Amino acid sequence: FLEFFAGTARLSKVARDVGVQILPVDKTNARASQVFIAQYDLADPNDVEAIVELVRTERHRNLAIHLAPACGTEAANLVYSATAVIVRLCFELHILCSVENPANSLFWFFPEIAALLSKGYRVDFHNCMHGGARNKLTTWWATQDVFGELSILCDGRHEHAKWNPKPVGQHLTFPTAEEA
């Protein structure tokens, strides 16, 4: 199981706990604990090429690939293009591939990603209905129809953690020359 943009590698750890061999991948291992993170930066074309070669070489061993690209990074377009490359490769090699992002993310409108969406299966769910603290609406898209059971919207029967928004009317101010 390969998990790209793994961060803490939570999904990889669950796969490992049920006996699946894992390879979590991220550009840094700063957030990981109790798991090895292969360091590849998918904003770097050389690293993307290496990942494509790895997936092709190990295609017979790949149970599934999951990607959860970060939203709003400076390198977002490069990362989104790399995600599309990996998804297309998974289609070609018949490897189950899933992609996760907030439902309202601009990621889903990125041209290379949007072109792939009609070829797969989309599931939307609120995280609070799967044990999360907030009612964040998430989209989970996959190359095969295997995640349909995740689809559930908040039933409103529980409390949600606060999002901690900035109070209305509060603005950043800078001292004047006299105050400084």
Side-chain angles (χ1 to χ4, degrees):
F1 173 72
L2 282 85
E3 179 184 11
F4 291 96
F5 313 104
T8 61
R10 187 178 314 152
L11 191 56
S12 289
K13 290 175 189 174
V14 170
R16 179 189 63 195
D17 290 348
V18 296
V20 175
Q21 188 177 13
I22 61 168
L23 181 62
V25 176
D26 209 323
K27 68 180 180 179
T28 177
N29 63 2
R31 295 176 51 206
S33 64
Q34 302 173 346
V35 68
F36 168 80
I37 302 285
Q39 292 184 341
Y40 290 91
D41 182 356
L42 271 69
D44 179 337
N46 292 324
D47 283 1
V48 173
E49 188 176 316
I51 288 295
V52 166
E53 182 61 28
L54 172 70
V55 171
R56 280 192 186 285
T57 302
E58 298 294 326
R59 67 182 166 267
H60 63 283
R61 297 179 63 201
N62 291 329
L63 175 64
I65 293 176
H66 180 74
L67 303 101
C71 303
T73 64
E74 286 182 23
N77 288 355
L78 294 172
V79 166
Y80 294 172
S81 287
T83 298
V85 165
I86 294 169
V87 170
R88 284 192 298 270
L89 181 61
C90 288
F91 270 122
E92 175 189 326
L93 300 176
H94 305 285
I95 297 170
L96 171 61
C97 181
S98 58
V99 182
E100 169 193 356
N101 233 269
N104 65 352
S105 172
L106 294 176
F107 167 80
W108 301 112
F109 298 98
F110 186 73
E112 292 177 63
I113 298 300
L116 294 168
L117 294 180
S118 65
K119 298 178 183 178
Y121 302 86
R122 177 183 177 140
V123 174
D124 292 315
F125 59 88
H126 280 111
N127 288 14
C128 60
M129 297 303 288
H130 293 291
R134 294 186 175 88
N135 64 338
K136 176 182 149 200
L137 186 60
T138 296
T139 294
W140 193 294
W141 177 92
T143 56
Q144 299 172 30
D145 188 13
V146 295
F147 296 108
E149 290 183 19
L150 291 176
S151 181
I152 187 167
L153 300 180
C154 180
D155 61 12
R157 296 181 184 175
H158 51 268
E159 295 290 320
H160 297 116
K162 302 284 185 227
W163 287 100
N164 298 325
K166 187 177 181 180
V168 175
Q170 185 179 14
H171 303 282
L172 288 176
T173 57
F174 297 93
T176 64
E178 294 82 33
E179 297 172 323

